[in-house]
Amino acid sequence: MPASVPTRPTTIFCASCPLRTLPAFQPVTAEQLAFIQSLKVAEVTLPARATIVAQGASADRLFTLLSGWAFRFKTLPDGRRQILNFLLPGDLLGLQAKLFDQTDHGIESLSDVVLCAFSRENIWHIFRDQPALAFDVTWLGAREEALVDDGLLSAGRRTAVERLAALLLQLHGRAEAVGLRRAGGGVALPLSQAHLADALGLSAVHLNRTMQRLRRAGIVELGGGVLRLPDMKAIRALARAVAPSMEPRPLI
Amino acid sequence: MPASVPTRPTTIFCASCPLRTLPAFQPVTAEQLAFIQSLKVAEVTLPARATIVAQGASADRLFTLLSGWAFRFKTLPDGRRQILNFLLPGDLLGLQAKLFDQTDHGIESLSDVVLCAFSRENIWHIFRDQPALAFDVTWLGAREEALVDDGLLSAGRRTAVERLAALLLQLHGRAEAVGLRRAGGGVALPLSQAHLADALGLSAVHLNRTMQRLRRAGIVELGGGVLRLPDMKAIRALARAVAPSMEPRPLI
DNA sequence: CGCAATCTTGAGGAGAGTCAAGATGCGTGG
DNA sequence: CCACGCATCTTGACTCTCCTCAAGATTGCG
């Protein structure tokens, strides 16, 4: 896994950003769009399993995930790993790393990813020149915290089945919102069971058994990188989750 | 527990805010100080165990905790509760509630608290008129997320002893930083064991037994609302925690 | 002085972890 | 085209951490 991030020249213009056409994202003014374009210093393509931000490293850049999946994680000295949350297209990466000069978590790609890179100084320009966009940065940070909050509720107080149901439900909804719906009614989900286990605070073995319970109950179909939830009502009841708000969100 | 928040006129001027004298907080310019003062619409005093923000409610205000302790939490429909993080003087409350128009977590006081209240619109004024302060708001939000990240690492991957050690270490450090040091070398800690259990994803019974292990090992002394950590080296090793950065932080 | 919340202790059980082995799938190269 | 190797998934057996239920001891406070 390369610790440094190769770059190549920008190839996608924000004005024709494929994400912006999705209803999940708020519209922006022409001026804001031009500003965002001016922030973008590079486009970065990485394969699956690449280190995007190393744990403990200082990040010199901030990214928006254009396509693909990634996750934030922490590891303890003896190797135990906790996945903090998953990152999907449109999500902001490295805000903490940027603000604190050092991260105590890493970010790794799950699939091939394309990232829009913003330089360190540019972040400050947002706050200075574009208060509405600065507000959006804060909003995206708060949304990420809300995801981690839910993960903590899961790890702390939900049973294994509830945790898995809640996570699959969340990922299904998020993937759908960014246009990852598949023909058969499912969504692409490039996670191994080991990833799910590390996200939920379970062992891989126990996660596997829990998954089979949901499968045999006809609530989850997962295989070949595709997730289908045939019984949304049942899985929502299991997760004891409230339907997440589907309001359009900012995209920077 | 009152769901609404009584107010009384402002009595403490930001210029003479007792928190600002602490080295834990960044200095501000006279102009910023005046701006912050202009944001403050009220000062709120609440007793222990009061609801500051109800779970599921929309928050019309943002607060800075001036004195006392509070915590953010989520509950499942059947009553299981997870404490997300603890709030100490200088911390910002209700940012998520403000940004999302509705919270799925509640905030409750642990001790008598005094809050500085900012109105909903004023938050926007910060972004429009004071980019440096807006940046600080984002910073405080990211810091809160870092705390939740650590809580998730604990709940997901640390053993009961490690979790407790990590939390007590964190709270000890934070309390010290805001001047809650006591004569005997400890810090005030107004938490019941039930609170610690709910923060760590443990049952109250198991937390009690875990606490006794740390006590008998001479690593923790907790009683009468005072926490002492006689063997910092041992508890840090147990928690497998890195020493948190002690850089001055923003105060709004 | 007495109630209520909190803390403590015991006993038994269940959920989840560990260890270990085998099955399945897949990309690569001979 | 098949064989090999590696990663992932699956299953079984056993263990142990942590939970639940239940009863008592302490403490603080009106």
Side-chain angles (χ1 to χ4, degrees):
Chain A
M1 283 181 278
S4 70
V5 175
T7 65
R8 62 186 168 94
T10 298
T11 57
I12 294 181
F13 288 99
C14 298
S16 57
C17 177
L19 290 176
R20 290 209 183 273
T21 63
L22 295 167
F25 297 102
Q26 290 172 5
V28 290
T29 66
E31 184 202 353
Q32 287 173 333
L33 194 61
F35 187 86
I36 293 172
Q37 177 73 59
S38 76
L39 292 176
K40 183 171 171 179
V41 297
E43 196 169 302
V44 178
T45 301
L46 289 172
R49 291 155 197 263
T51 297
I52 300 173
V53 176
Q55 189 169 14
S58 75
D60 53 339
R61 290 193 276 182
L62 193 66
F63 304 97
T64 287
L65 189 50
L66 243 190
S67 73
W69 290 60
F71 63 93
R72 299 195 309 124
F73 66 96
K74 288 188 174 216
T75 54
L76 291 169
D78 63 1
R80 281 173 284 176
R81 180 176 74 170
Q82 176 66 40
I83 291 181
L84 302 169
N85 64 338
F86 293 100
L87 301 162
L88 271 72
D91 288 344
L92 211 52
L93 281 78
L95 184 61
Q96 274 192 49
K98 163 68 192 70
L99 293 175
F100 299 147
D101 280 336
Q102 55 129 24
T103 24
D104 50 355
H105 66 261
I107 306 182
E108 188 177 316
S109 59
L110 279 164
S111 63
D112 295 355
V113 293
V114 179
L115 306 161
C116 293
F118 307 104
S119 79
R120 204 178 178 71
E121 314 82 59
N122 283 350
I123 262 294
W124 168 243
H125 295 339
I126 298 179
F127 280 81
R128 193 191 55 192
D129 300 333
Q130 293 282 338
L133 290 181
F135 194 83
D136 288 345
V137 170
T138 310
W139 194 100
L140 288 169
R143 175 177 169 277
E144 177 165 283
E145 193 199 313
L147 290 176
V148 182
D149 284 351
D150 194 59
L152 178 50
L153 174 63
S154 274
R157 288 299 182 219
R158 284 200 255 236
T159 65
V161 174
E162 290 167 353
R163 288 181 214 190
L164 181 55
L167 179 58
L168 293 178
L169 196 56
Q170 181 213 114
L171 294 177
H172 183 90
R174 291 174 64 194
E176 242 183 356
V178 294
L180 298 179
R181 204 175 292 116
R182 286 294 190 81
V187 298
L189 195 82
L191 311 182
S192 72
Q193 291 189 357
H195 289 122
L196 292 171
D198 280 349
L200 298 177
L202 298 171
S203 69
V205 171
H206 196 66
L207 179 100
N208 181 285
R209 293 185 165 122
T210 305
M211 181 72 84
Q212 289 177 50
R213 283 219 274 160
L214 289 183
R215 268 209 270 259
R216 288 179 189 135
I219 292 173
V220 170
E221 290 171 31
L222 177 56
V226 174
L227 167 71
R228 299 207 322 123
L229 300 178
D231 191 345
M232 290 299 282
K233 206 172 156 189
I235 199 169
R236 251 195 276 270
L238 265 184
R240 287 162 172 79
V242 291
S245 94
M246 279 292 117
E247 309 225 338
R249 35 184 273 237
L251 172 66
I252 296 176
Chain B
M1 285 183 278
S4 69
V5 175
T7 66
R8 62 186 169 93
T10 299
T11 56
I12 295 181
F13 288 99
C14 298
S16 56
C17 177
L19 290 176
R20 290 211 182 272
T21 62
L22 295 168
F25 296 102
Q26 290 172 4
V28 290
T29 65
E31 184 202 351
Q32 287 174 332
L33 195 61
F35 187 85
I36 293 172
Q37 176 75 59
S38 77
L39 292 175
K40 183 170 172 179
V41 297
E43 196 169 302
V44 179
T45 301
L46 289 171
R49 290 153 196 265
T51 297
I52 299 172
V53 176
Q55 190 170 14
S58 74
D60 54 338
R61 288 192 276 183
L62 194 66
F63 303 97
T64 288
L65 189 50
L66 243 190
S67 72
W69 291 59
F71 63 94
R72 298 194 312 124
F73 66 96
K74 287 188 176 220
T75 54
L76 290 170
D78 64 0
R80 282 173 285 175
R81 182 176 71 169
Q82 177 66 40
I83 291 181
L84 302 170
N85 64 340
F86 293 100
L87 301 162
L88 272 72
D91 289 345
L92 211 53
L93 281 77
L95 184 60
Q96 273 194 48
K98 164 69 192 70
L99 292 175
F100 299 146
D101 280 337
Q102 55 129 24
T103 24
D104 50 355
H105 66 260
I107 307 181
E108 187 177 317
S109 59
L110 280 163
S111 62
D112 295 355
V113 293
V114 179
L115 306 161
C116 293
F118 308 104
S119 80
R120 203 176 179 73
E121 314 83 60
N122 284 350
I123 261 293
W124 169 244
H125 295 339
I126 298 179
F127 281 81
R128 193 190 55 195
D129 300 333
Q130 293 282 334
L133 290 180
F135 194 83
D136 289 344
V137 170
T138 310
W139 194 98
L140 288 168
R143 175 176 170 277
E144 177 166 283
E145 194 200 312
L147 290 175
V148 182
D149 283 352
D150 193 60
L152 178 51
L153 175 62
S154 274
R157 287 301 182 215
R158 283 200 256 239
T159 66
V161 174
E162 290 168 354
R163 287 181 215 189
L164 181 54
L167 178 58
L168 293 178
L169 196 54
Q170 181 213 114
L171 294 177
H172 182 88
R174 291 174 64 194
E176 241 184 355
V178 293
L180 297 179
R181 204 176 290 118
R182 286 295 189 80
V187 299
L189 194 83
L191 311 182
S192 71
Q193 291 189 354
H195 289 121
L196 292 171
D198 279 349
L200 298 177
L202 298 171
S203 70
V205 171
H206 196 66
L207 179 102
N208 180 285
R209 292 183 167 123
T210 305
M211 181 73 84
Q212 290 177 51
R213 283 217 274 160
L214 289 183
R215 269 210 269 259
R216 286 176 192 139
I219 292 174
V220 169
E221 291 171 29
L222 178 56
V226 174
L227 167 70
R228 299 207 324 123
L229 300 178
D231 190 345
M232 289 299 281
K233 206 172 156 191
I235 198 168
R236 252 196 276 269
L238 264 184
R240 288 161 171 80
V242 291
S245 94
M246 279 292 116
E247 309 224 339
R249 37 184 272 237
L251 173 66
I252 296 174

PDB file of all heavy atoms in Angstrom, chain A residues 76-77, chain B residues 150 158 165-166 169 235-244:
ATOM      1  N   LEU A  76      -5.345  -0.360  17.149  1.00  0.00           N
ATOM      2  CA  LEU A  76      -4.607  -0.371  18.407  1.00  0.00           C
ATOM      3  C   LEU A  76      -3.221  -0.956  18.151  1.00  0.00           C
ATOM      4  O   LEU A  76      -3.008  -1.617  17.128  1.00  0.00           O
ATOM      5  CB  LEU A  76      -5.365  -1.214  19.440  1.00  0.00           C
ATOM      6  CG  LEU A  76      -6.679  -0.570  19.915  1.00  0.00           C
ATOM      7  CD1 LEU A  76      -7.507  -1.558  20.725  1.00  0.00           C
ATOM      8  CD2 LEU A  76      -6.381   0.662  20.747  1.00  0.00           C
ATOM      9  N   PRO A  77      -2.301  -0.709  19.077  1.00  0.00           N
ATOM     10  CA  PRO A  77      -0.913  -1.168  18.873  1.00  0.00           C
ATOM     11  C   PRO A  77      -0.807  -2.656  18.546  1.00  0.00           C
ATOM     12  O   PRO A  77       0.069  -3.069  17.798  1.00  0.00           O
ATOM     13  CB  PRO A  77      -0.247  -0.860  20.221  1.00  0.00           C
ATOM     14  CG  PRO A  77      -1.034   0.254  20.792  1.00  0.00           C
ATOM     15  CD  PRO A  77      -2.438   0.082  20.308  1.00  0.00           C
TER      16      PRO A  77
ATOM     17  N   ASP B 150     -12.919   7.969  19.255  1.00  0.00           N
ATOM     18  CA  ASP B 150     -12.221   7.206  20.280  1.00  0.00           C
ATOM     19  C   ASP B 150     -13.195   6.334  21.076  1.00  0.00           C
ATOM     20  O   ASP B 150     -12.879   5.198  21.423  1.00  0.00           O
ATOM     21  CB  ASP B 150     -11.462   8.145  21.221  1.00  0.00           C
ATOM     22  CG  ASP B 150     -10.467   7.383  22.088  1.00  0.00           C
ATOM     23  OD1 ASP B 150      -9.560   6.748  21.508  1.00  0.00           O
ATOM     24  OD2 ASP B 150     -10.609   7.391  23.317  1.00  0.00           O
ATOM     25  N   ARG B 158     -11.894  -2.388  22.367  1.00  0.00           N
ATOM     26  CA  ARG B 158     -11.145  -2.471  23.614  1.00  0.00           C
ATOM     27  C   ARG B 158     -11.873  -3.359  24.622  1.00  0.00           C
ATOM     28  O   ARG B 158     -13.101  -3.442  24.618  1.00  0.00           O
ATOM     29  CB  ARG B 158     -10.925  -1.069  24.210  1.00  0.00           C
ATOM     30  CG  ARG B 158      -9.823  -0.296  23.498  1.00  0.00           C
ATOM     31  CD  ARG B 158      -9.279   0.842  24.354  1.00  0.00           C
ATOM     32  NE  ARG B 158      -9.781   2.116  23.904  1.00  0.00           N
ATOM     33  CZ  ARG B 158      -9.004   3.134  23.504  1.00  0.00           C
ATOM     34  NH1 ARG B 158      -7.696   3.017  23.506  1.00  0.00           N
ATOM     35  NH2 ARG B 158      -9.538   4.273  23.115  1.00  0.00           N
ATOM     36  N   ALA B 165     -10.098   2.508  31.472  1.00  0.00           N
ATOM     37  CA  ALA B 165      -8.841   3.244  31.610  1.00  0.00           C
ATOM     38  C   ALA B 165      -8.789   4.393  30.608  1.00  0.00           C
ATOM     39  O   ALA B 165      -8.436   5.525  30.954  1.00  0.00           O
ATOM     40  CB  ALA B 165      -7.656   2.308  31.395  1.00  0.00           C
ATOM     41  N   ALA B 166      -9.162   4.118  29.369  1.00  0.00           N
ATOM     42  CA  ALA B 166      -9.093   5.152  28.334  1.00  0.00           C
ATOM     43  C   ALA B 166     -10.033   6.311  28.651  1.00  0.00           C
ATOM     44  O   ALA B 166      -9.677   7.480  28.492  1.00  0.00           O
ATOM     45  CB  ALA B 166      -9.423   4.555  26.972  1.00  0.00           C
ATOM     46  N   LEU B 169      -8.836   8.349  31.729  1.00  0.00           N
ATOM     47  CA  LEU B 169      -7.676   9.126  31.310  1.00  0.00           C
ATOM     48  C   LEU B 169      -8.109  10.352  30.509  1.00  0.00           C
ATOM     49  O   LEU B 169      -7.635  11.466  30.730  1.00  0.00           O
ATOM     50  CB  LEU B 169      -6.782   8.226  30.454  1.00  0.00           C
ATOM     51  CG  LEU B 169      -5.350   8.628  30.191  1.00  0.00           C
ATOM     52  CD1 LEU B 169      -4.612   8.885  31.487  1.00  0.00           C
ATOM     53  CD2 LEU B 169      -4.653   7.522  29.404  1.00  0.00           C
ATOM     54  N   ILE B 235      -1.880   3.538  33.734  1.00  0.00           N
ATOM     55  CA  ILE B 235      -3.197   3.682  33.116  1.00  0.00           C
ATOM     56  C   ILE B 235      -3.066   4.004  31.632  1.00  0.00           C
ATOM     57  O   ILE B 235      -3.892   3.584  30.818  1.00  0.00           O
ATOM     58  CB  ILE B 235      -4.063   4.728  33.856  1.00  0.00           C
ATOM     59  CG1 ILE B 235      -5.520   4.509  33.472  1.00  0.00           C
ATOM     60  CG2 ILE B 235      -3.620   6.132  33.573  1.00  0.00           C
ATOM     61  CD1 ILE B 235      -6.502   5.251  34.320  1.00  0.00           C
ATOM     62  N   ARG B 236      -2.027   4.720  31.283  1.00  0.00           N
ATOM     63  CA  ARG B 236      -1.826   4.999  29.859  1.00  0.00           C
ATOM     64  C   ARG B 236      -1.507   3.716  29.100  1.00  0.00           C
ATOM     65  O   ARG B 236      -1.985   3.498  27.981  1.00  0.00           O
ATOM     66  CB  ARG B 236      -0.696   6.009  29.671  1.00  0.00           C
ATOM     67  CG  ARG B 236      -1.210   7.371  29.240  1.00  0.00           C
ATOM     68  CD  ARG B 236      -0.097   8.229  28.686  1.00  0.00           C
ATOM     69  NE  ARG B 236       0.627   8.918  29.758  1.00  0.00           N
ATOM     70  CZ  ARG B 236       0.311  10.115  30.212  1.00  0.00           C
ATOM     71  NH1 ARG B 236      -0.724  10.749  29.719  1.00  0.00           N
ATOM     72  NH2 ARG B 236       1.005  10.685  31.158  1.00  0.00           N
ATOM     73  N   ALA B 237      -0.719   2.863  29.729  1.00  0.00           N
ATOM     74  CA  ALA B 237      -0.381   1.586  29.102  1.00  0.00           C
ATOM     75  C   ALA B 237      -1.638   0.731  28.947  1.00  0.00           C
ATOM     76  O   ALA B 237      -1.866   0.114  27.914  1.00  0.00           O
ATOM     77  CB  ALA B 237       0.667   0.855  29.936  1.00  0.00           C
ATOM     78  N   LEU B 238      -2.461   0.720  29.982  1.00  0.00           N
ATOM     79  CA  LEU B 238      -3.691  -0.050  29.936  1.00  0.00           C
ATOM     80  C   LEU B 238      -4.605   0.450  28.825  1.00  0.00           C
ATOM     81  O   LEU B 238      -5.190  -0.330  28.083  1.00  0.00           O
ATOM     82  CB  LEU B 238      -4.438   0.081  31.260  1.00  0.00           C
ATOM     83  CG  LEU B 238      -4.248  -1.008  32.296  1.00  0.00           C
ATOM     84  CD1 LEU B 238      -5.147  -0.738  33.478  1.00  0.00           C
ATOM     85  CD2 LEU B 238      -4.538  -2.374  31.696  1.00  0.00           C
ATOM     86  N   ALA B 239      -4.724   1.748  28.729  1.00  0.00           N
ATOM     87  CA  ALA B 239      -5.656   2.333  27.764  1.00  0.00           C
ATOM     88  C   ALA B 239      -5.124   2.207  26.342  1.00  0.00           C
ATOM     89  O   ALA B 239      -5.875   2.358  25.393  1.00  0.00           O
ATOM     90  CB  ALA B 239      -5.897   3.798  28.097  1.00  0.00           C
ATOM     91  N   ARG B 240      -3.836   1.940  26.226  1.00  0.00           N
ATOM     92  CA  ARG B 240      -3.219   1.915  24.900  1.00  0.00           C
ATOM     93  C   ARG B 240      -3.547   3.213  24.170  1.00  0.00           C
ATOM     94  O   ARG B 240      -3.886   3.224  22.994  1.00  0.00           O
ATOM     95  CB  ARG B 240      -3.707   0.726  24.089  1.00  0.00           C
ATOM     96  CG  ARG B 240      -3.141  -0.585  24.605  1.00  0.00           C
ATOM     97  CD  ARG B 240      -3.946  -1.772  24.137  1.00  0.00           C
ATOM     98  NE  ARG B 240      -3.278  -3.035  24.455  1.00  0.00           N
ATOM     99  CZ  ARG B 240      -3.297  -3.606  25.645  1.00  0.00           C
ATOM    100  NH1 ARG B 240      -3.931  -3.025  26.644  1.00  0.00           N
ATOM    101  NH2 ARG B 240      -2.683  -4.741  25.873  1.00  0.00           N
ATOM    102  N   ALA B 241      -3.443   4.270  24.910  1.00  0.00           N
ATOM    103  CA  ALA B 241      -3.816   5.565  24.345  1.00  0.00           C
ATOM    104  C   ALA B 241      -2.579   6.407  24.108  1.00  0.00           C
ATOM    105  O   ALA B 241      -1.595   6.304  24.832  1.00  0.00           O
ATOM    106  CB  ALA B 241      -4.754   6.304  25.303  1.00  0.00           C
ATOM    107  N   VAL B 242      -2.650   7.207  23.072  1.00  0.00           N
ATOM    108  CA  VAL B 242      -1.598   8.179  22.853  1.00  0.00           C
ATOM    109  C   VAL B 242      -1.942   9.422  23.662  1.00  0.00           C
ATOM    110  O   VAL B 242      -3.112   9.717  23.893  1.00  0.00           O
ATOM    111  CB  VAL B 242      -1.489   8.534  21.359  1.00  0.00           C
ATOM    112  CG1 VAL B 242      -0.965   7.349  20.577  1.00  0.00           C
ATOM    113  CG2 VAL B 242      -2.831   8.968  20.825  1.00  0.00           C
ATOM    114  N   ALA B 243      -0.936  10.105  24.112  1.00  0.00           N
ATOM    115  CA  ALA B 243      -1.179  11.335  24.863  1.00  0.00           C
ATOM    116  C   ALA B 243      -1.859  12.328  23.936  1.00  0.00           C
ATOM    117  O   ALA B 243      -1.393  12.574  22.832  1.00  0.00           O
ATOM    118  CB  ALA B 243       0.134  11.906  25.393  1.00  0.00           C
ATOM    119  N   PRO B 244      -2.981  12.880  24.375  1.00  0.00           N
ATOM    120  CA  PRO B 244      -3.716  13.805  23.509  1.00  0.00           C
ATOM    121  C   PRO B 244      -2.941  15.107  23.347  1.00  0.00           C
ATOM    122  O   PRO B 244      -2.182  15.495  24.224  1.00  0.00           O
ATOM    123  CB  PRO B 244      -5.002  14.039  24.293  1.00  0.00           C
ATOM    124  CG  PRO B 244      -4.632  13.799  25.718  1.00  0.00           C
ATOM    125  CD  PRO B 244      -3.556  12.752  25.706  1.00  0.00           C
TER     126      PRO B 244
END
